[in-house]
Amino acid sequence: MAVGAEQVVLVCVSAKVGQAPCGKGMAPGTVAAYLIDPTQASSINAALAPFDYGYASAIWALAFSMVVGLYVVSHGIGTVLGFLRRG
């Protein structure tokens, strides 16, 4: 899925003599640029948003508590199975 396309774009570059439509000391020139499709702009803006440390810490705390919980449950099951083997 393409996010955009490479196109030749008209830009104003520094020059000794000004030319229309550029301002004084500028002349039109071309450059190859990757232009983003407007429908993809929202996903790119979301990816470039500032990092949310509060949300990341909540996800980390959830994952860590699940690992500790699984350890405790597994340890308990291991204790019961050990008791049954000895008995």
Side-chain angles (χ1 to χ4, degrees), residues 54-74:
Y55 183 71
S57 64
I59 296 296
W60 188 89
L62 175 67
F64 183 73
S65 63
M66 288 178 68
V67 167
V68 170
L70 285 173
Y71 170 76
V72 169
V73 168
S74 300

Side-chain angles (χ1 to χ4, degrees), residues 31-63:
V31 64
Y34 191 81
L35 300 179
I36 298 169
D37 186 17
T39 60
Q40 299 295 324
S42 61
S43 63
I44 291 174
N45 287 338
L48 297 177
F51 189 73
D52 187 1
Y53 290 97
Y55 183 71
S57 64
I59 296 296
W60 188 89
L62 175 67

Side-chain angles (χ1 to χ4, degrees), residues 12-34:
C12 294
V13 294
S14 297
K16 294 182 181 184
V17 179
Q19 296 178 352
C22 297
K24 191 174 190 179
M26 303 291 276
T30 58
V31 64
Y34 191 81

